[in-house]
Structures are given as C-alpha cells and as structure tokens.
Amino acid sequence: MDINQIIALRVRDLRSQRGWSLEVLATRSGVSRSTISLIERGESSPTAIVLDRLATALSVPLASLFEQHAREDSPSPLSPAGQQAVWTDPASGYVRRHLSSAVPCPTQLVEVLFPAGQRVSYETSLQESDVIQQLWMIGGTMEVRVGETTWQLQKGDCLTMKLDRPNAFHNPGRVTARYLVALTRLSPEGI
C-alpha cells in the first residue's frame, strides 16, 4: 500500500474513533480543514511538521501514523523490503522506511536517510512519556536535541531518549546521514 494511503487511513480512523469532524481536528491541530481532507483522501504528502501537529492533536505517537495495521487475524511476521512503507518529507527530503511487519509488537523499527544540511524540529510533539526511542547511526553525522540537551552523533553511536520533550534533528555534515530508529512502547511497569 502507498505510504500516503497508509497515513490517510490512520488519520481518518483515529479521527473517526474519537467521533471528531474535520473541523474539530483542524481546530485542535492548527492544520487547515482542507489540508486534512487532502491527507485523508491520500491526495497530499504532508510534511513532518504537519504530521507532528496531527499526531499531537490525536494524542498518538507520530510514528503510529506510518503503521500499517493488519487487516487479517494472522498477519505475516515478514516485512519484505519491496512492501515496506517509504515516506519522504516534502520539506526536508528526509526519507523514512517503516521496517517492521504488521504483527503487533511493542517495538517498531524505522530506517532514516537524512539529507546533508537539513533540519526537522518537532516542537509541538506529544509528550510521549511511554515511548523510548533508540537511534543508531549507520553512516554520516547528526545533531539530535531533546529538550535543552543536544548530542553530536557519529557512525556507530547509539542514543537512547524518552520522547517526553520537543526534539529536533539536524544533519550538519556534507553527506546524507543514515540511521536506524527503534521505537518501544513501555508498559505501565516499564519495558
């Protein structure tokens, strides 16, 4: 399934589960009703910032907007490379590949290609105190800010962070950075 269709289905389903109209989601997110309508029809590729605003308004992790939920009782545990959802942020050009299968799992894996010189800030991000993110650098360099703290990451470095504050990603290098993200939902008792 096309990534814009996955996002469309998730946003529409989450809005419907809450019994919200397009107008209510627009008001809560600060994203125009017409933009949300285009997204829900799969006719628009929203930016990371727009998706962040929608996820925050819907009280879900941003990553959940990319998840393809199983439509059958026994989804395949295999996620073939050719069927993995790939999304490109129209504003920064960063590419996000959702690696995990549709089998329910507390951890989701994502590969990111982040162009040189680009930056994405999630300032309105949901305070996701129940999500831990690990970022493992495969190549290039990244500056990652969580709250007031910034880390400089090089190939091989791994950063673990709780997604409970605004965060930002910047590639200060001259080459595309490549990294793996593991997002894990915590149970009430911890991992």
Side-chain angles (χ1 to χ4, degrees):
M1 182 183 290
D2 173 71
I3 189 64
N4 290 325
Q5 292 302 317
I6 292 169
I7 294 168
L9 184 61
R10 289 291 293 144
V11 171
R12 189 172 49 246
D13 285 352
L14 289 164
R15 182 177 60 79
S16 293
Q17 288 170 13
R18 285 154 182 76
W20 293 355
S21 66
L22 284 171
E23 190 63 40
V24 169
L25 182 54
T27 300
R28 290 177 180 241
S29 66
V31 176
S32 75
R33 185 181 182 283
S34 61
T35 298
I36 296 169
S37 180
L38 288 170
I39 291 168
E40 287 190 358
R41 291 193 316 262
E43 297 174 4
S44 171
S45 181
T47 65
I49 302 307
V50 167
L51 291 176
D52 179 50
R53 289 178 182 164
L54 292 173
T56 299
L58 293 163
S59 298
V60 297
L62 174 63
S64 74
L65 298 182
F66 299 98
E67 293 175 5
Q68 191 169 356
H69 291 283
R71 296 288 183 209
E72 64 243 20
D73 291 335
S74 299
S76 173
L78 177 64
S79 177
Q83 295 177 16
Q84 294 166 353
V86 178
W87 173 79
T88 302
D89 178 25
S92 68
Y94 99 78
V95 178
R96 180 189 197 286
R97 176 183 292 275
H98 189 86
L99 304 172
S100 299
S101 74
V103 171
C105 180
T107 301
Q108 296 292 312
L109 298 177
V110 174
E111 177 189 39
V112 175
L113 300 174
F114 207 101
Q118 294 300 310
R119 178 184 314 268
V120 173
S121 297
Y122 300 107
E123 300 302 328
T124 63
S125 190
L126 173 68
Q127 305 303 307
E128 300 178 52
S129 60
D130 66 337
V131 176
I132 296 271
Q133 175 173 296
Q134 293 189 68
L135 187 155
W136 178 54
M137 292 299 299
I138 298 169
T141 61
M142 287 295 291
E143 289 178 354
V144 178
R145 179 182 51 80
V146 178
E148 300 300 318
T149 305
T150 300
W151 290 274
Q152 305 293 323
L153 304 177
Q154 307 291 323
K155 181 179 177 180
D157 292 346
C158 186
L159 175 65
T160 301
M161 60 187 130
K162 205 168 190 183
L163 298 182
D164 58 356
R165 289 165 278 184
N167 53 77
F169 298 83
H170 173 235
N171 179 350
R174 295 182 181 181
V175 299
T176 296
R178 181 174 175 229
Y179 54 90
L180 177 71
V181 175
L183 294 152
T184 303
R185 276 202 173 281
L186 303 175
S187 69
E189 301 80 38
I191 296 179

